[in-house]
Amino acid sequence: MLLVVFGYPTQAQTTDVEIYQVAEVLLISDVAYANPIADVDVRVALSGPNGESREIAAFWDGDRDYRFRFAPSSVGKWTYCTSASDVSNRGLDRACGDINASDYLGENIFERKGWPRVSENNRYFTYADGDPVFLLFEAAMEITWKSTLEEVERYVEDRREKGFNAIWIVPMSHQYFYPNGVTNRAGQPYFLENDVTRLNPRYFDYLDQIVEKMNSAGIIVLLNPIWGRMASVYENSVHQQSISLDTALLHARYIGARYAAHNVMWLIAGDARYDSEEEKFYWNTFADELDRASGGNHLMSAHATGFRGSHYYFSDSGWLDFHTYTPSHFVEADYNWRGAIEASLTVPLKPVVNIEYNFEDLYDKFWLFFSDTTGAVRITSADVRMGAYQGILSGAFAGTSYGANGIWQWATPSTMNGFGVRYTATEALNLEGSSHMGVLKNVMEDLDWYSFTWFDGLITSSSSARKIVAASNGETIVAYLPRNSSIVTLSTIGLSSSLSVEWIDPTSGIKKPEVVYQSSAPNSITVIPPDSNDWLLVVQNLNKWLSINDPSRAIRPLEVIVKPNPFRSSTHFLIQAGEPGSAMLSIYDLLGRRVDFQTKRSDGGFLDYVFSGKASGLYLYRIQFRGES
């Protein structure tokens, strides 16, 4: 990290740095402002090679110090000049200089190949050089204030070895609110003098170290600036003091500027619904300011409450680059796979990540057991695997997430908190599910997961009581069989006689090619898993079997009846599909805004959707159908 100090009038200053490395510039203010974050806004305009341009914000760092951080993404000379809202401040306004960026010579894969981007087909992530990258996230929200640096170093090294390349954190505790007196382990509060408009730079010094440790290990930080229910738009906020939109924008500008030069992805809001126009406006405005302050160079999404996803609320928001959805902590949740289908069918098409499902060692449906755990069941590593594979193979191809009960809330001996936690964060490192997630990532990479599409035409019958999901790329089919799937019948229509079938153990990645399968009904075979555990079934050497890229497979002719039409308060959409599958109905107003969104599964009969108009006028509807054969 490099440092340059400016006076006024400024002379050109030059900083040398490798691409994707942090160049830091110090500005000395002429004025000691009463509220240094709110009283002045400092922006930095940068121009780079090949006509590139970027604008970022500077942030207050204590006393009269302001800084900006920039990581050039191209080799060559970048020039910059600052502009301050207080143009009379000679230390902050019109400071100019150069940043010379050279090739990166280290081993960090994200700095050799570039920060993550959305693929050209909008279905997965790539490095900046275009190569695909599978993102494996872990939730460690409270690490930001409960941990020590020694614990962070141990945690980061453990997760790096297991294949994790993204960690989800929340700078300000999402369990407590800082005016209540909560501080980090260094004794620093998030706010100065309990004033929500005055962020404490010394609190962020430790957060800087966490982000830098993770980035140095090749781990992206999924940074969640303000938890949803802290916003003032929620009347029944669980927090004692809420944050107005004007104050939230100060937070967005500060955090965006402070981490503009780091390998971060932004996650907007958290664990809330965003139904009202006021709620959407709050978070859309917050996201725009965060994106502007950080230079528009970081991917962004939003986190919704259980059984919802970003596609419910922000699919048309320009800042949203990928979808996340939340099946919640429910072992048998159909939303693990239904949510993936919903999000992957949403227009415009964007990558999808199953962001929060079964956290290992948390209680299944934990919200039912806050006061009484009688009959409660702990989530196991097998439950974690089922949720992960059901999401990925149903359309959430961009990556998946993992959570452990002791880690997401960063339990320590003095801060064990609730939710039935029984292991500290360092003890929970050894829960076996985290190792299985590393196996999952390796399996997906070996199978070129990015080429796959959700495919339900393989399984015709099964002894399993749980959903079996599958995906294919036209040459290979991968299916996940949950526990106790003792007999599975596969359709062989169009299959080559030379096909091969093998099993992969999702706990180890070990393959078992010596599969015995037998003929059963015409045009089908029966396969028997090696034992009663969960397995991945891989079918290869296909003979162009019902190409999954053929649009006629995905969309079938539908019969649609809208009655009554015109209507006063509500109307029914009766949809008849010619085969089993999932149908999605979207309603738009004449401005192109989606005002309703419903997805249901059809067994081939009529589906009844009810739409209640929010205002009189003309509405447009769109129906998408994905068959299961």
Side-chain angles (χ1 to χ4, degrees):
M1 184 174 292
L2 299 171
L3 182 68
V4 178
V5 182
F6 285 100
Y8 189 96
T10 54
Q11 297 178 351
Q13 304 289 329
T14 301
T15 299
D16 295 321
V17 69
E18 295 176 337
I19 59 170
Y20 295 109
Q21 301 294 290
V22 179
E24 181 174 291
V25 175
L26 171 66
L27 308 169
I28 307 297
S29 173
D30 289 349
V31 181
Y33 295 101
N35 189 334
I37 293 175
D39 292 348
V40 64
D41 180 12
V42 183
R43 303 281 172 164
V44 185
L46 298 110
S47 299
N50 307 314
E52 298 171 78
S53 63
R54 199 82 50 80
E55 180 180 292
I56 59 177
F59 63 93
W60 177 60
D61 201 32
D63 298 325
R64 292 190 293 119
D65 293 351
Y66 288 76
R67 301 177 189 271
F68 71 84
R69 293 171 175 170
F70 174 66
S73 54
S74 298
V75 172
K77 184 173 77 171
W78 293 77
T79 61
Y80 61 84
C81 279
T82 66
S83 60
S85 56
D86 180 2
V87 296
S88 66
N89 190 331
R90 296 184 173 187
L92 301 182
D93 192 57
R94 288 173 287 169
C96 302
D98 298 331
I99 296 173
N100 293 323
S102 58
D103 285 318
Y104 174 71
L105 302 177
E107 297 299 321
N108 188 306
I109 191 167
F110 282 109
E111 291 166 8
R112 283 195 294 107
K113 301 175 71 62
W115 293 350
R117 295 288 180 266
V118 172
S119 65
E120 290 186 1
N121 66 3
N122 296 314
R123 296 183 58 251
Y124 57 93
F125 298 124
T126 71
Y127 298 100
D129 68 1
D131 287 346
V133 54
F134 183 90
L135 291 189
L136 179 58
F137 297 86
E138 178 168 28
M141 290 89 142
E142 304 280 308
I143 194 175
T144 51
W145 68 280
K146 294 180 182 177
S147 66
T148 64
L149 194 58
E150 181 181 4
E151 292 169 345
V152 170
E153 289 171 343
R154 177 181 174 187
Y155 167 71
V156 168
E157 179 59 21
D158 181 272
R159 274 15 193 182
R160 184 194 65 79
E161 291 179 351
K162 290 176 179 174
F164 287 87
N165 54 8
I167 302 293
W168 174 12
I169 67 174
V170 182
M172 176 169 50
S173 171
H174 74 311
Q175 293 179 325
Y176 298 104
F177 204 47
Y178 277 90
N180 295 341
V182 179
T183 63
N184 65 16
R185 295 284 281 273
Q188 293 290 342
Y190 194 86
F191 299 121
L192 294 171
E193 300 176 359
N194 288 339
D195 182 347
V196 296
T197 69
R198 301 182 64 200
L199 304 183
N200 176 13
R202 301 292 70 82
Y203 177 92
F204 283 87
D205 288 343
Y206 182 59
L207 185 57
D208 288 351
Q209 294 182 72
I210 293 175
V211 172
E212 288 160 7
K213 292 288 184 186
M214 291 179 177
N215 280 180
S216 295
I219 294 175
I220 302 164
V221 176
L222 183 64
L223 207 156
N224 199 156
I226 296 178
W227 200 245
R229 286 286 171 179
M230 293 177 176
S232 59
V233 287
Y234 300 104
E235 294 181 1
N236 298 320
S237 173
V238 298
H239 301 283
Q240 294 182 13
Q241 186 174 0
S242 59
I243 298 177
S244 69
L245 178 56
D246 287 343
T247 300
L249 296 182
L250 296 178
H251 289 228
R253 186 197 309 162
Y254 188 87
I255 292 173
R258 188 140 191 159
Y259 300 102
H262 293 85
N263 189 7
V264 302
M265 300 166 73
W266 303 119
L267 194 61
I268 305 303
D271 203 20
R273 296 178 63 156
Y274 316 102
D275 296 309
S276 73
E277 290 304 313
E278 183 184 14
E279 291 161 359
K280 291 177 183 176
F281 180 81
Y282 184 106
W283 292 113
N284 276 322
T285 307
F286 181 90
D288 286 341
E289 179 63 12
L290 182 66
D291 195 39
R292 192 160 42 242
S294 59
N297 200 35
H298 305 276
L299 297 180
M300 307 181 75
S301 189
H303 180 250
T305 192
F307 313 109
R308 293 288 189 277
S310 59
H311 58 289
Y312 269 74
Y313 310 107
F314 301 112
S315 62
D316 296 326
S317 296
W319 54 265
L320 191 130
D321 299 300
F322 65 99
H323 287 304
T324 71
Y325 69 101
T326 308
S328 199
H329 312 286
F330 185 8
V331 168
E332 300 295 340
D334 284 351
Y335 206 66
N336 276 314
W337 54 274
R338 290 191 189 277
I341 295 171
E342 283 181 5
S344 64
L345 286 175
T346 300
V347 178
L349 184 66
K350 295 179 180 180
V352 180
V353 176
N354 185 353
I355 196 65
E356 184 180 355
Y357 53 101
N358 302 329
F359 280 4
E360 190 170 7
D361 203 52
L362 189 65
Y363 284 119
D364 173 41
K365 300 180 287 293
F366 72 93
W367 56 88
L368 301 178
F369 306 115
F370 283 129
S371 59
D372 181 8
T373 58
T374 303
V377 177
R378 296 273 183 178
I379 294 171
T380 68
S381 59
D383 302 324
V384 172
R385 296 193 300 273
M386 181 171 66
Y389 283 105
Q390 284 182 337
I392 293 169
L393 298 180
S394 296
F397 293 105
T400 193
S401 61
Y402 170 77
N405 195 19
I407 291 177
W408 72 269
Q409 56 184 312
W410 205 262
T412 70
S414 60
T415 59
M416 291 295 280
N417 293 1
F419 305 101
V421 65
R422 54 182 177 175
Y423 302 112
T424 66
T426 52
E427 292 169 340
L429 287 176
N430 299 317
L431 292 176
E432 62 182 10
S434 61
S435 296
H436 299 167
M437 290 298 98
V439 171
L440 176 151
K441 180 167 173 276
N442 290 337
V443 168
M444 291 296 105
E445 291 174 340
D446 288 345
L447 292 170
D448 293 338
W449 85 99
Y450 54 88
S451 65
F452 280 74
T453 300
W454 173 62
F455 184 74
D456 260 6
L458 176 68
I459 311 298
T460 59
S461 66
S462 167
S463 61
S464 176
R466 300 180 175 94
K467 175 70 173 178
I468 296 178
V469 295
S472 177
N473 61 5
E475 299 177 357
T476 301
I477 296 176
V478 182
Y480 176 75
L481 278 62
R483 289 157 290 171
N484 302 315
S485 304
S486 56
I487 299 176
V488 180
T489 303
L490 313 179
S491 169
T492 60
I493 297 176
L495 289 178
S496 167
S497 59
S498 62
L499 68 89
S500 67
V501 180
E502 68 179 2
W503 299 98
I504 299 178
D505 182 347
T507 68
S508 65
I510 295 175
K511 298 179 181 180
K512 293 183 176 293
E514 64 279 3
V515 166
V516 176
Y517 59 88
Q518 59 189 30
S519 299
S520 55
N523 299 319
S524 65
I525 58 174
T526 297
V527 296
I528 301 173
D531 55 38
S532 61
N533 295 321
D534 55 328
W535 287 90
L536 281 172
L537 173 67
V538 180
V539 183
Q540 294 178 311
N541 298 332
L542 304 182
N543 187 21
K544 295 183 180 178
W545 181 39
L546 296 176
S547 173
I548 58 172
N549 296 315
D550 181 359
S552 66
R553 291 204 64 259
I555 302 175
R556 305 289 183 176
L558 302 174
E559 181 179 352
V560 181
I561 301 171
V562 184
K563 187 176 182 180
N565 187 20
F567 67 97
R568 288 183 178 271
S569 59
S570 64
T571 188
H572 288 256
F573 285 77
L574 299 176
I575 303 172
Q576 184 175 37
E579 64 171 323
S582 296
M584 182 169 69
L585 171 69
S586 299
I587 308 291
Y588 300 87
D589 63 18
L590 289 184
L591 295 178
R593 298 174 298 193
R594 188 167 64 180
V595 297
D596 200 3
F597 169 85
Q598 301 178 45
T599 298
K600 293 185 179 181
R601 184 186 179 281
S602 167
D603 289 322
F606 273 100
L607 293 173
D608 186 4
Y609 295 80
V610 180
F611 169 64
S612 298
K614 296 177 171 57
S616 61
L618 185 65
Y619 292 89
L620 306 175
Y621 69 87
R622 174 190 176 98
I623 295 169
Q624 296 166 277
F625 182 77
R626 181 68 64 89
E628 295 183 356
S629 64

